[in-house]
Amino acid sequence: MVNLQAEIKEKKRVALSSVIAAIFLTLAKFAVGLTTGSLGIISEALHSTLDLGAAIITYFAMKITDKPADELHRYGHGKVESIAALTEALLLLFTCIWITVEAIERILGKKMDIEVNLISFAVLIGAILIDISRAHALSKAAKKYQSSALAADALHFSSDVLSTIVVIAGLIFVQFGFSMADPLAAIGVAILVAIASIKLAIKTLDSLMDKVPQEVEDEVKKSIESMSNVKDFHKLRLRRSGKQIFIDLHVQLDKTTPFPDVHKITTSIEKKISELGYSTDVIVHPEPIITNNKKDEEKITRKEITEILTSHSDKYTDFHNLSVKKIGEDVFVNVHLVVPKDLNIAKAHNLCNHLEKDIAHNLSPSVKINIHVEPCNGECKPCSNTNCAISTNK
């Protein structure tokens, strides 16, 4: 509990410091942008305004996301982070549209006097230093706590660094008489921010749509495959909610495994997955191994049927052409039974019924048996364990 409280406190602290930084940058850029008339700086100020809104969203998301699961939110509140990140991406895209429209109007003839001075350069360079500091702190916290909202905030401040550099380059060109450099720089800002926003939107939508985190799935698979007592596994499912990854899977164990050992194995699987370093919630469903080697199963079944038939060898002369075929869980058996030629049809029918019931009783009620009765030719002696001329179709 202490570690969890410390984690929540640190995430809130990082998010709150980003809000304060965004407020300072927004006010400073607006002041310089309105003073100089630079669209590039104004676009940066608007960018920082949305960064401020995003930082505020992130801060409140941090207060909600770590709440424990409740009756209405059985998987916790982690998806709030993805919703916050998606909101930030949409706000950034809206800004890109406004900047692009305004820049195109200026390129087409809308006049705007631009006054570039040392203060504007100083503010922008100071903004870069603050953005680098905030991006580093947010990125570090995002990786440490696997937070998509903090990662989105880090992306905002990182894109600020690039876009501010583009604006500075535009202002330098304006100083040398190339006035088109400012709206072109603004479009450059819009493009950079739009690319970052689209990437962020795709990532958050993947999270909201429960897209499988591929790198985690690969690690989970390798971890399970390394366990010798797990014969196979399937129906592996993963979903991420905030930093928490929910995993459930079916594992196949040897059918003779005692139940206490099954429990130990499933517990060891959960422990092994947790050792990967992710925050996980694992459910393992054990089931007996079902082999796909039908030929081996048919040989085992044929041997068992042969033993049952041989145990009734005093009632017939011989049997041959024993064939076994498995379709799904059903076993279909065909056999030719040789009986004394003086045996009447009623007794032959009773004999077949008796054999069918005994096979079904010893193997499975799902066994479907077809017995072809034929009279013996020549000298007819009762079959025994040593003289039955058994012929099986393989």
Side-chain angles (χ1 to χ4, degrees):
M1 181 62 69
V2 176
N3 291 336
L4 178 59
Q5 291 302 321
E7 174 185 331
I8 295 172
K9 185 177 180 180
E10 182 177 353
K11 289 196 293 185
K12 286 181 180 179
R13 179 183 59 78
V14 173
L16 182 60
S17 61
S18 296
V19 172
I20 295 171
I23 290 173
F24 172 78
L25 291 173
T26 301
L27 293 176
K29 288 179 181 178
F30 263 123
V32 175
L34 293 174
T35 301
T36 61
S38 168
L39 178 60
I41 297 178
I42 292 173
S43 68
E44 269 298 289
L46 286 170
H47 187 182
S48 294
T49 301
L50 289 183
D51 282 349
L52 172 59
I56 293 172
I57 291 172
T58 300
Y59 175 72
F60 284 105
M62 291 300 98
K63 297 185 71 173
I64 298 173
T65 189
D66 288 311
K67 287 184 177 180
D70 53 39
E71 285 295 319
L72 297 178
H73 308 90
R74 300 297 176 90
Y75 289 95
H77 299 78
K79 291 292 185 183
V80 170
E81 286 198 28
S82 298
I83 295 172
L86 181 60
T87 303
E88 293 176 30
L90 295 176
L91 289 173
L92 283 172
L93 286 172
F94 175 78
T95 305
C96 294
I97 295 172
W98 183 89
I99 293 172
T100 303
V101 171
E102 183 66 20
I104 291 173
E105 286 181 357
R106 292 196 179 190
I107 291 172
L108 294 177
K110 182 179 178 180
K111 291 185 178 181
M112 190 77 180
D113 294 330
I114 302 175
E115 181 185 342
V116 181
N117 51 44
L118 291 177
I119 295 177
S120 59
F121 284 108
V123 169
L124 292 176
I125 292 172
I128 290 176
L129 296 176
I130 294 173
D131 285 333
I132 291 174
S133 173
R134 295 314 313 144
H136 176 72
L138 287 164
S139 180
K140 184 178 178 181
K143 290 179 180 178
K144 182 177 180 180
Y145 300 116
Q146 301 173 29
S147 169
S148 60
L150 291 178
D153 231 11
L155 181 59
H156 275 272
F157 283 95
S158 297
S159 65
D160 273 354
V161 174
L162 295 175
S163 60
T164 304
I165 291 173
V166 172
V167 171
I168 291 175
L171 292 178
I172 292 173
F173 278 104
V174 169
Q175 285 286 79
F176 287 97
F178 185 46
S179 59
M180 285 295 174
D182 185 61
L184 289 175
I187 292 176
V189 172
I191 292 173
L192 290 173
V193 175
I195 292 172
S197 302
I198 291 170
K199 288 181 178 179
L200 175 61
I202 292 173
K203 185 176 181 180
T204 54
L205 282 172
D206 284 344
S207 176
L208 290 171
M209 293 295 292
D210 289 329
K211 182 179 179 180
V212 173
Q214 195 60 53
E215 69 283 357
V216 181
E217 182 181 49
D218 292 340
E219 291 183 48
V220 170
K221 285 181 177 179
K222 289 180 182 179
S223 180
I224 300 172
E225 287 169 353
S226 67
M227 302 184 71
S228 58
N229 47 13
V230 176
K231 303 300 181 183
D232 199 1
F233 66 93
H234 59 106
K235 292 185 179 180
L236 173 61
R237 299 189 300 177
L238 298 86
R239 72 187 299 268
R240 186 190 291 274
S241 179
K243 71 170 184 176
Q244 191 85 348
I245 300 176
F246 295 88
I247 303 172
D248 62 84
L249 70 152
H250 290 218
V251 295
Q252 294 184 334
L253 310 176
D254 191 291
K255 61 183 179 182
T256 61
T257 307
F259 184 75
D261 291 343
V262 171
H263 179 69
K264 289 180 181 178
I265 293 171
T266 56
T267 302
S268 65
I269 293 172
E270 294 169 5
K271 182 180 179 182
K272 197 170 185 66
I273 292 175
S274 68
E275 291 173 352
L276 294 175
Y278 302 100
S279 178
T280 56
D281 186 315
V282 186
I283 297 177
V284 181
H285 172 76
E287 58 187 31
I289 183 70
I290 300 175
T291 179
N292 290 321
N293 193 336
K294 292 186 177 182
K295 288 186 177 180
D296 288 346
E297 287 189 354
E298 289 173 6
K299 288 178 182 178
I300 294 171
T301 307
R302 185 182 291 112
K303 180 181 178 181
E304 292 172 343
I305 293 173
T306 299
E307 291 175 352
I308 294 172
L309 290 173
T310 305
S311 68
H312 297 279
S313 59
D314 59 325
K315 298 180 179 66
Y316 57 86
T317 301
D318 194 5
F319 69 89
H320 59 94
N321 288 356
L322 172 62
S323 65
V324 180
K325 185 174 182 62
K326 287 185 69 66
I327 300 178
E329 295 300 313
D330 293 326
V331 179
F332 294 85
V333 178
N334 287 284
V335 63
H336 286 224
L337 192 68
V338 182
V339 298
K341 55 186 176 182
D342 59 347
L343 194 69
N344 62 43
I345 189 171
K347 291 182 179 180
H349 177 71
N350 290 336
L351 173 60
C352 291
N353 282 342
H354 180 70
L355 292 175
E356 290 172 4
K357 289 180 180 179
D358 198 24
I359 291 173
H361 174 75
N362 284 280
L363 295 181
S364 169
S366 63
V367 176
K368 315 298 180 185
I369 307 164
N370 179 38
I371 301 178
H372 173 76
V373 180
E374 57 186 54
C376 69
N377 294 318
E379 186 178 1
C380 298
K381 295 182 179 179
C383 177
S384 68
N385 291 346
T386 58
N387 69 1
C388 286
I390 302 171
S391 174
T392 59
N393 294 333
K394 296 184 180 180

